[in-house]
Amino acid sequence: QTVRFKPPPYNSDIGWRVEFRVMEVMPTPFENAAFSIFLILFVKATLKYGTVMYAPMSLVDQNMGRAHRRDPCSQTYHFRANIHAKSITEMYVCEMTIDEIFNGKDLSMGGRFEGLIPFVQKYVAEENLNDPKIAAYLKFISLRASGQLMTTANLFRKFIVEHPDYRHDSRVTQKIGKDLASFASHLAETQVWPDYLPAELTGGTAKPFVYGAW
């Protein structure tokens, strides 16, 4: 459910491919660029270092079930800790939070799982890809994974709950929906919001949001 093999098109020299299928469109260009660039760098790093990230499909299915719950970043997920193993059969899968998967974790068996962000940062350094934008993208993903920056779902939920017209009855009125659409447009334009997208990362300029201004 997270990746799939794509067969070669008929009568072409294109080989088998692996397609990542879990990305969603984010409200801002900065976020979309961050996740797209991270994914490209992650794939290139995986190919360079020959990492092994296989895990039993039964555990992958459990992960998908947990990811569908409310506030999925607070869940733990089965993830392979020894990604630099020389063999597929040398498998050590443990449960980690999103923070630990991306930023690293000390293992109960000893040693440390480096985390996907340091893994990609090592590739960036070795390939001399040091660029302020790449650094900002990786920092952003690291902060969001750690919970220091809220997710889009939590931001929009907070917006609705704190809306002046919300009556805490699970009803999103037409006015609330319109203001939420206006807020999303505001985010896309400014790319700045406290606890979501800090200006020091995006380089954007904060502007106050006014309810009903759209």
Side-chain angles (χ1 to χ4, degrees):
Q1 299 182 63
T2 53
V3 297
R4 75 170 184 178
F5 284 116
K6 293 194 71 174
Y10 176 73
N11 223 9
S12 76
D13 57 357
I14 298 177
W16 283 81
R17 293 158 291 170
V18 176
E19 182 180 56
F20 286 81
R21 299 177 56 80
V22 294
M23 291 299 299
E24 295 180 349
V25 175
M26 299 287 111
T28 68
F30 177 87
E31 294 170 277
N32 288 312
F35 286 111
S36 298
I37 294 299
F38 172 79
L39 184 57
I40 292 170
L41 293 172
F42 173 71
V43 170
K44 289 182 176 294
T46 299
L47 293 174
K48 176 177 180 177
Y49 301 122
T51 51
V52 178
M53 298 197 182
Y54 296 102
M57 278 302 302
S58 59
L59 299 183
V60 175
D61 287 339
Q62 287 185 37
N63 286 347
M64 289 299 296
R66 296 177 185 183
H68 290 154
R69 298 173 186 170
R70 179 171 172 172
D71 200 12
C73 287
S74 66
Q75 307 291 327
T76 59
Y77 300 90
H78 302 285
F79 202 85
R80 184 172 183 139
N82 56 340
I83 62 175
H84 296 291
K86 300 301 182 184
S87 169
I88 295 176
T89 58
E90 298 174 22
M91 186 179 300
Y92 177 61
V93 177
C94 62
E95 293 194 36
M96 304 188 219
T97 64
I98 293 296
D99 181 20
E100 292 167 337
I101 290 173
F102 278 87
N103 294 313
K105 170 185 173 66
D106 292 324
L107 303 174
S108 59
M109 62 178 288
R112 179 174 176 80
F113 171 66
E114 64 183 313
L116 302 185
I117 295 292
F119 173 66
V120 170
Q121 287 173 331
K122 180 174 68 173
Y123 172 82
V124 168
E126 291 184 2
E127 296 295 317
N128 295 317
L129 300 176
N130 299 301
D131 181 279
K133 287 186 178 179
I134 292 179
Y137 294 152
L138 296 181
K139 180 67 173 178
F140 159 71
I141 295 175
S142 175
L143 290 173
R144 178 164 285 183
S146 71
Q148 296 180 62
L149 297 180
M150 66 175 64
T151 63
T152 307
N154 281 337
L155 175 69
F156 284 0
R157 187 178 293 114
K158 182 174 185 288
F159 179 90
I160 292 173
V161 169
E162 295 180 352
H163 192 283
D165 285 7
Y166 186 63
R167 298 293 178 259
H168 300 276
D169 54 2
S170 299
R171 295 178 180 273
V172 179
T173 65
Q174 183 176 8
K175 185 177 189 318
I176 296 173
K178 188 174 182 179
D179 279 342
L180 180 60
S182 176
F183 179 59
S185 177
H186 172 88
L187 269 182
E189 177 186 351
T190 65
Q191 301 194 73
V192 173
W193 196 256
D195 300 323
Y196 184 74
L197 282 179
E200 59 267 24
L201 284 179
T202 67
T205 302
K207 299 178 184 177
F209 175 75
V210 180
Y211 287 106
W214 188 47

